[in-house]
Amino acid sequence: MQQALSQNKRPTGFFIGAGCPLSVRNPDNTPLIPDVAGLTQKIAEAFSTGPGKADWDTLIEGVREDGGDVGNVEHILSNIRQLAAVAGKSSVRGLNRDGLDKLDATICGVISKLVDKALPDPGSPYHNLAIWIRSIRRASPVQVFTTNYDLLTEQAMEESATPYFDGFVGARQAFFDLGAVEDENILPARWARLWKIHGSLNWRLTADGKRVVRSDNQDKTASYLIYPSHLKYDQSRKMPYLAMLDRLKSFLLQPSATLFMSGYSFSDEHINDIIRSSLEANPTAQTFALMYGDLATDKYKKARECGCLLPNLTVIGDESAIIGRNLGPWKALPDGAPSSMPPGAIKADADGKVIVGLGDFANFGTLLRYLTGDVTEDVAGA
């Protein structure tokens, strides 16, 4: 990993999943932004009273009857949009189109409120990533993919003076430029590319439904564009969702492309399919999936399946890893951890078991900080 991160000619990308904001803590030690399970719980609380409670209860009961994951708001939103697509002017499974649209709008509104947070200090792992990106001149641009709706990556890049392109052009109501996205190689290599696969807090669908814009203006006549499902407002390639997925596929098909994934548990089958098919088609590509916690848990079942299938997908957990399709526990080196590894990245628990903590985005950010040589004495001595 360190060797790949130290090269300036290798196409390098980062995938930031929903678990990454958990590494940034509030003063009371709560996460800055909750994960998917936390978002789902907050949304359920929002529907605990009020006019939408009956429709919410009906929806959740239907998802549960179908064996769906009622603890995953992305699965719930997918279900809402599937039902809305066939409801028309009638009703389906006890829900009419108006009720389904209100559920969708309320859920997206709650999500937007919960993720509308700012990084508290410039020493966050997001800032470490942004500074690493601009630390050296590169032959190809660094690509950053994220399924998160928040603006933490944008904040870190702007505060770190790291230029980036996200597919939009303009200032007041920046418009999505598909041509620039598909021909992004004409842009300077020092500009990072930021691809928000599931939409963003500041994306809007204009009132006429014809344009996607990026704007901080809280326009009540424009719809939030949050895409946590495979059903979109429009399946046209002009919509950002499919263009962003195309960027991920195109990146992984580049010779010697290296992707570092953090905070992603392989719960999105559409993204999993792109990763699998691209790595199978391009054996020179390499992906490092950094998982937080024990790799043996049910949460990482799909990650283990992908790792045991693909030789160029390395899955790293706290206590074990899958390297070259081989699953096994970590073992201590005879002389201890390499001195180049940051504090907290490798340690031993009370029983002497080796723990590799790179699945924590904070530790991964510290590794990137080490590679840029920007390490303070208090961090180095931690």
Side-chain angles (χ1 to χ4, degrees):
M1 285 178 56
Q2 287 181 306
Q3 183 181 28
L5 288 167
S6 299
Q7 297 184 17
N8 67 338
K9 294 184 179 180
R10 182 194 298 263
T12 305
F14 297 85
F15 191 107
I16 299 175
C20 289
L22 296 178
S23 66
V24 182
R25 315 300 287 189
N26 293 312
D28 60 356
N29 203 37
T30 58
L32 182 66
I33 297 174
D35 59 5
V36 172
L39 288 175
T40 307
Q41 182 179 352
K42 293 292 186 181
I43 290 167
E45 292 173 0
F47 284 110
S48 61
T49 58
K53 183 178 186 303
D55 284 346
W56 172 261
D57 291 342
T58 300
L59 172 70
I60 293 302
E61 184 59 30
V63 173
R64 186 177 287 112
E65 287 177 358
D66 294 340
D69 185 359
V70 297
N72 187 325
V73 65
E74 298 190 350
H75 184 88
I76 293 171
L77 260 179
S78 292
N79 193 270
I80 290 174
R81 293 172 181 177
Q82 286 174 334
L83 294 176
V86 300
K89 295 182 179 180
S90 184
S91 61
V92 56
R93 304 193 72 169
L95 297 164
N96 58 38
R97 179 60 184 266
D98 183 62
L100 289 165
D101 288 343
K102 288 180 179 178
L103 285 172
D104 193 323
T106 300
I107 290 173
C108 289
V110 172
I111 291 174
S112 297
K113 183 178 180 180
L114 290 171
V115 304
D116 189 10
K117 302 292 179 61
L119 293 166
D121 64 76
S124 75
Y126 288 89
H127 287 87
N128 289 334
L129 171 60
I131 293 172
W132 179 89
I133 289 173
R134 67 165 173 80
S135 62
I136 60 174
R137 184 176 297 275
R138 303 183 187 281
S140 59
V142 175
Q143 312 259 351
V144 180
F145 306 89
T146 181
T147 54
N148 300 344
Y149 322 118
D150 58 63
L151 304 178
L152 302 184
T153 304
E154 291 93 325
Q155 177 191 344
M157 287 187 175
E158 290 165 12
E159 291 181 351
S160 304
T162 303
Y164 68 93
F165 173 67
D166 65 352
F168 289 82
V169 180
R172 191 178 67 86
Q173 280 195 331
F175 61 93
F176 182 71
D177 189 348
L178 179 63
V181 170
E182 294 184 336
D183 198 19
E184 50 93 11
N185 287 329
I186 64 175
L187 299 174
R190 69 184 186 88
W191 288 14
R193 311 299 195 249
L194 176 60
W195 310 122
K196 306 195 77 169
I197 297 174
H198 281 176
S200 181
L201 178 65
N202 60 350
W203 289 10
R204 301 287 187 273
L205 186 66
T206 54
D208 59 10
K210 295 181 179 180
R211 288 202 310 155
V212 177
V213 298
R214 185 195 64 204
S215 173
D216 291 330
N217 181 26
Q218 300 298 319
D219 184 0
K220 300 299 182 183
T221 65
S223 301
Y224 288 108
L225 256 67
I226 291 177
Y227 293 154
S229 76
H230 69 283
L231 288 170
K232 312 304 163 197
Y233 291 98
D234 189 324
Q235 288 289 3
S236 168
R237 286 181 58 85
K238 293 182 179 180
M239 294 298 286
Y241 174 75
L242 294 179
M244 299 297 175
L245 285 179
D246 283 346
R247 291 301 91 204
L248 177 59
K249 182 176 181 179
S250 296
F251 170 77
L252 287 172
L253 290 177
Q254 294 183 80
S256 301
T258 304
L259 180 67
F260 297 89
M261 308 185 73
S262 184
Y264 179 66
S265 62
F266 285 76
S267 61
D268 190 320
E269 279 301 324
H270 300 91
I271 294 175
N272 294 351
D273 183 63
I274 289 177
I275 293 172
R276 283 193 299 261
S277 60
S278 300
L279 292 180
E280 288 172 353
N282 182 17
T284 68
Q286 178 70 44
T287 294
F288 296 92
L290 312 177
M291 322 304 285
Y292 182 80
D294 187 0
L295 192 59
T297 60
D298 291 340
K299 176 183 179 181
Y300 296 135
K301 179 181 178 182
K302 292 180 180 178
R304 294 195 304 272
E305 291 175 351
C306 290
C308 291
L309 177 68
L310 300 164
N312 47 351
L313 171 61
T314 298
V315 185
I316 296 176
D318 279 10
E319 300 180 10
S320 60
I322 302 174
I323 302 175
R325 299 180 58 233
N326 294 306
L327 172 63
W330 293 111
K331 295 181 180 180
L333 293 172
D335 298 327
S339 59
S340 60
M341 293 297 290
I346 300 177
K347 57 185 178 181
D349 63 11
D351 299 325
K353 184 184 297 182
V354 177
I355 303 296
V356 175
L358 289 175
D360 186 333
F361 189 50
N363 287 336
F364 184 59
T366 304
L367 172 61
L368 295 174
R369 186 171 182 176
Y370 262 61
L371 293 174
T372 61
D374 180 19
V375 184
T376 59
E377 291 183 3
D378 58 327
V379 172

